[in-house]
């Protein structure tokens, strides 16, 4: 079976129409996952046993005429920081290498109810900290388009799995770009919904005020189908909400205004390939009749600094629970001293990037520095949020690059954290503001390295992004 051109709609059609069974689809994806994983390392674990039980269940329902869910038979990869009951959940960390989840994340319950088949747990930067998936304790993921290059991060395994047909769709988490940047690097679609649109119950918290679960697909409609299943208010996450969505009138593109923020198009920021590709995308929208308007997000220059204070602070508190007593594996050190247990457990279990962030986060929250760093960053965050609100008075959506560069080589930025952090320059402001954004591959780049463009929407206007994105795909 050729899975290259499969979409979620085609899977459902094929299963219901008797062209193939859920078991056949699952077998195909499991076999691709197993054959490609030794090279790409997209999965930390492949859940072969449960895959076939779940697929058999769908086939039984189809045979007996029962209704099946929106994602019946859809093979999916799940980032390994999202809990699946009874399965290992490592968050890409040595400290959780033996941890087994005791319950399902809300998104997993919803996916299972909708009939999705979970192929495996996707590799990721440790605790979602990174932009290249080189910070995984289980080895780096390779970009399926060019295996000498990174797939982006931190949801690099999810993006690579979809790009390499090791899954048809995937879930990731995005705190500062971790869905959108790997989607751009692997040539697939990745959506970070409005903060609050998807329950975070059962995703391991990195920075709770920024984290959001979202979907990957080969097409915008596939990413939307997964989003449609997992969205909505959850009593277990008080930040989740069922705000009504609104829709652009895409039947009349001249009624759509797309904003280009000056600060995202500063000459010399983009590599040549990215600049050309984004330029062409803007022209495509212009030709379709949409109005293009320049806008300003004046506080953008502070976004990276602001993010790397607030995120560090939240990381340092969220990761305190991995102390070898409440969670995580215990150091073998024989001692009665509690502090020694903590120190050796964390010292052995966490990687360098995680340690750097915990230390810096503790610093920015410490007495005397709290006001100078953390409190100030919160004020800047408000200004950044206001920038978006102002811009959205004049335009319906914003269009920007996702990353300043095409996928970089493995090892190119590992020794220079600042260079690595710079790859998030266009994605972190969106998390600070809490608005939705989608990363879509620029069309017509077959044989070249992928480039993604980003559409950013107003709060709760996630549907506008899917609508406009799929309109672009149809051009
Ligand atoms: N690359 C960013 C970081 O390292 C974003 C991570 C994320 O979104 N989880 O913080």
């Amino acid at each position: 079976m050729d899975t290259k051109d499969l979409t979620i709609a085609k899977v459902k059609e094929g299963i219901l129409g008797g062209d193939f069974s859920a078991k056949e689809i699952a077998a195909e994806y499991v076999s691709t996952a197993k054959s490609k994983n030794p090279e790409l390392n997209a999965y930390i674990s492949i859940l072969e046993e449960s895959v076939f039980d779940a697929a058999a269940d769908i086939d039984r329902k189809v045979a007996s005429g029962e209704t099946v869910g929106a994602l019946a038979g859809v093979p999916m990869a799940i980032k390994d920081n999202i809990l699946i009951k009874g399965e290992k959940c490592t968050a890409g960390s040595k400290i959780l290498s033996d941890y087994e989840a005791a319950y399902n994340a809300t998104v997993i319950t919803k996916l299972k109810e909708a009939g999705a088949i979970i192929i495996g747990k996707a590799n990721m930067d440790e605790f979602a900290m990174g932009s290249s998936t080189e910070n995984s304790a289980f080895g780096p993921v390779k970009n399926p388009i060019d295996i000498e290059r990174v797939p982006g991060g931190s949801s690099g395994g999810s993006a690579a799995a979809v790009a390499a047909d090791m899954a048809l769709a995937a879930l990731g988490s995005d705190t500062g770009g971790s869905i959108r940047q790997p989607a751009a690097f692997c040539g697939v679609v990745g959506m970070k919904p409005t903060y609050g649109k998807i329950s975070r119950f059962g995703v391991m918290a990195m920075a709770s005020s920024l984290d959001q679960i979202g979907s990957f697909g080969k097409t915008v409609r596939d990413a939307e189908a997964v989003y449609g299943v997992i969205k909505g208010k959850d009593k277990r996450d008080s930040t989740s909400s069922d705000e009504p969505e609104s829709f652009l009138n895409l039947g009349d593109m001249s009624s759509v205004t797309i904003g280009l923020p000056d600060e995202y198009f500063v000459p010399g920021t983009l590599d040549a390939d990215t600049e050309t590709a984004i330029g062409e995308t803007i022209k495509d929208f212009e030709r379709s009749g949409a109005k293009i308007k320049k806008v300003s997000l004046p506080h953008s220059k502070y976004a990276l600094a602001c993010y790397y204070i607030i995120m560090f602070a939240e990381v340092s508190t969220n990761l305190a629970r991995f102390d070898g007593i409440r969670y995580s594996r215990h150091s073998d050190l024989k001692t009665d001293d509690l502090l020694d247990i903590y120190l050796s457990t964390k010292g052995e279990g966490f990687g360098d990037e995680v340690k750097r962030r915990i230390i810096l986060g503790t610093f920015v929250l410490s007495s005397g520095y709290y006001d100078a760093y953390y409190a100030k960053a919160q004020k800047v965050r408000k200004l950044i949020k206001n920038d978006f609100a102002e811009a959205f008075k004049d335009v319906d959506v914003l269009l920007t690059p996702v990353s300043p560069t095409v996928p970089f080589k493995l090892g190119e930025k590992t020794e220079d954290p600042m260079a690595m952090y710079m790859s998030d320059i266009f994605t972190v402001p969106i998390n600070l503001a809490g608005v939705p954004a989608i990363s879509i591959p620029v069309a017509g780049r077959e044989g070249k390295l992928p480039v993604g463009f980003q559409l950013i929407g107003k709060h709760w206007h996630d549907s506008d992004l899917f609508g406009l994105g799929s309109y672009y795909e149809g051009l």
Side-chain angles (χ1 to χ4, degrees):
M1 180 189 295
D2 189 7
T3 53
K4 265 262 154 294
D5 297 323
L6 270 189
T7 59
I8 292 182
K10 284 185 191 164
V11 165
K12 193 156 182 195
E13 224 177 83
I15 292 178
L16 291 178
D19 299 337
F20 41 72
S21 66
K23 252 186 158 159
E24 281 169 315
I25 295 271
E28 191 63 39
Y29 277 90
V30 167
S31 128
T32 309
K34 280 167 63 177
S35 70
K36 291 190 178 173
N37 211 44
E39 177 164 65
L40 298 178
N41 203 20
Y43 284 113
I44 292 177
S45 48
I46 296 177
L47 310 180
E48 209 172 340
E49 273 174 43
S50 56
V51 164
F52 291 107
D53 289 346
D57 195 45
I58 303 284
D59 290 334
R60 185 192 52 74
K61 282 189 177 145
V62 172
S64 64
E66 280 174 59
T67 50
V68 290
L71 299 178
V74 173
M76 288 191 64
I78 305 294
K79 189 176 184 179
D80 206 20
N81 59 350
I82 299 175
L83 307 187
I84 303 178
K85 189 176 176 181
E87 303 291 353
K88 287 233 171 95
C89 197
T90 69
S93 182
K94 190 175 154 197
I95 208 164
L96 289 176
S97 51
D98 304 324
Y99 176 70
E100 204 173 272
Y103 59 92
N104 279 326
T106 298
V107 289
I108 297 298
T109 308
K110 289 185 168 188
L111 287 182
K112 289 193 167 182
E113 276 167 15
I117 311 285
I118 297 170
I119 303 287
K121 299 301 295 289
N123 203 351
M124 57 183 282
D125 282 303
E126 186 175 8
F127 287 105
M129 301 177 200
S131 311
S132 66
T133 318
E134 291 166 295
N135 292 337
S136 168
F138 303 92
V141 178
K142 311 251 171 78
N143 190 323
I145 315 289
D146 175 350
I147 57 163
E148 286 181 8
R149 292 175 190 269
V150 303
S154 64
S155 313
S158 302
V162 174
D165 293 311
M166 299 160 81
L168 183 54
L171 288 190
S173 64
D174 189 312
T175 304
S178 277
I179 291 177
R180 290 160 286 155
Q181 186 254 23
F185 277 15
C186 293
V188 298
V189 175
M191 170 75 176
K192 184 211 85 78
T194 304
Y195 182 82
K197 194 73 211 183
I198 314 251
S199 166
R200 287 177 295 111
F201 178 75
V203 61
M204 286 185 201
M206 173 181 162
S208 314
S209 77
L210 302 157
D211 297 343
Q212 192 57 203
I213 294 176
S215 53
F216 290 91
K218 281 190 295 193
T219 64
V220 172
R221 288 296 176 216
D222 278 6
E224 185 180 21
V226 174
Y227 159 88
V229 164
I230 60 175
K231 71 176 182 183
K233 187 166 175 54
D234 175 15
K235 64 177 190 307
R236 293 191 168 105
D237 174 0
S238 60
T239 62
S240 66
S241 166
D242 266 333
E243 290 286 325
E245 302 191 16
S246 54
F247 303 89
L248 290 175
N249 176 9
L250 298 169
D252 173 16
M253 279 299 279
S254 68
S255 70
V256 176
T257 309
I258 300 176
L260 305 179
D262 285 337
E263 294 76 7
Y264 287 58
F265 291 93
V266 176
T269 328
L270 303 181
D271 67 16
D273 231 7
T274 308
E275 189 165 347
T276 314
I278 300 296
E280 279 162 13
T281 309
I282 296 168
K283 280 199 207 107
D284 284 340
F285 276 111
E286 218 163 9
R287 271 194 293 269
S288 76
K291 289 194 202 70
I292 307 285
K293 190 171 178 181
K294 287 191 168 209
V295 293
S296 176
L297 300 168
H299 298 93
S300 297
K301 57 178 177 293
Y302 304 118
L304 209 58
C306 174
Y307 169 80
Y308 275 93
I309 291 172
I310 293 174
M311 178 271 295
F312 284 166
E314 296 188 25
V315 159
S316 74
T317 53
N318 273 329
L319 268 63
R321 71 193 69 170
F322 303 107
D323 55 11
I325 294 173
R326 284 172 291 181
Y327 291 99
S328 73
R329 62 195 284 247
H330 206 298
S331 148
D332 295 332
L333 185 78
K334 298 271 173 281
T335 171
D336 291 334
D337 187 296
L338 188 60
L339 187 60
D340 282 344
I341 294 176
Y342 288 160
L343 291 177
S344 60
T345 296
K346 294 184 183 215
E348 289 164 20
F350 287 140
D352 288 348
E353 183 62 26
V354 172
K355 284 180 189 158
R356 176 167 26 242
R357 295 188 189 204
I358 293 173
I359 292 168
L360 287 167
T362 309
F363 173 75
V364 301
L365 288 175
S366 62
S367 154
Y369 295 101
Y370 182 97
D371 285 336
Y373 293 107
Y374 183 71
K376 199 170 211 170
Q378 290 292 12
K379 289 182 192 151
V380 175
R381 180 176 189 172
K382 181 83 188 141
L383 296 173
I384 290 169
K385 205 171 166 185
N386 289 347
D387 281 354
F388 280 94
E390 276 304 309
F392 281 131
K393 285 183 183 159
D394 294 334
V395 299
D396 299 302
V397 297
L398 298 168
L399 190 155
T400 76
V402 175
S403 155
T405 66
V406 293
F408 44 90
K409 291 252 170 79
L410 284 146
E412 198 179 313
K413 300 194 177 180
T414 37
E415 298 310 315
D416 185 353
M418 272 312 289
M420 193 70 96
Y421 296 171
M422 286 301 284
S423 51
D424 307 326
I425 190 161
F426 300 136
T427 49
V428 298
I430 285 81
N431 299 71
L432 289 167
V435 291
I438 192 167
S439 168
I440 298 171
V442 170
R445 293 190 57 81
E446 291 72 24
K448 297 189 202 148
L449 288 171
V451 171
F453 71 92
Q454 174 170 246
L455 290 175
I456 309 165
K458 301 175 184 175
H459 277 103
W460 313 112
H461 284 221
D462 304 60
S463 300
D464 290 348
L465 305 185
F466 290 121
L468 202 55
S470 107
Y471 177 89
Y472 169 82
E473 282 178 343
L475 286 178

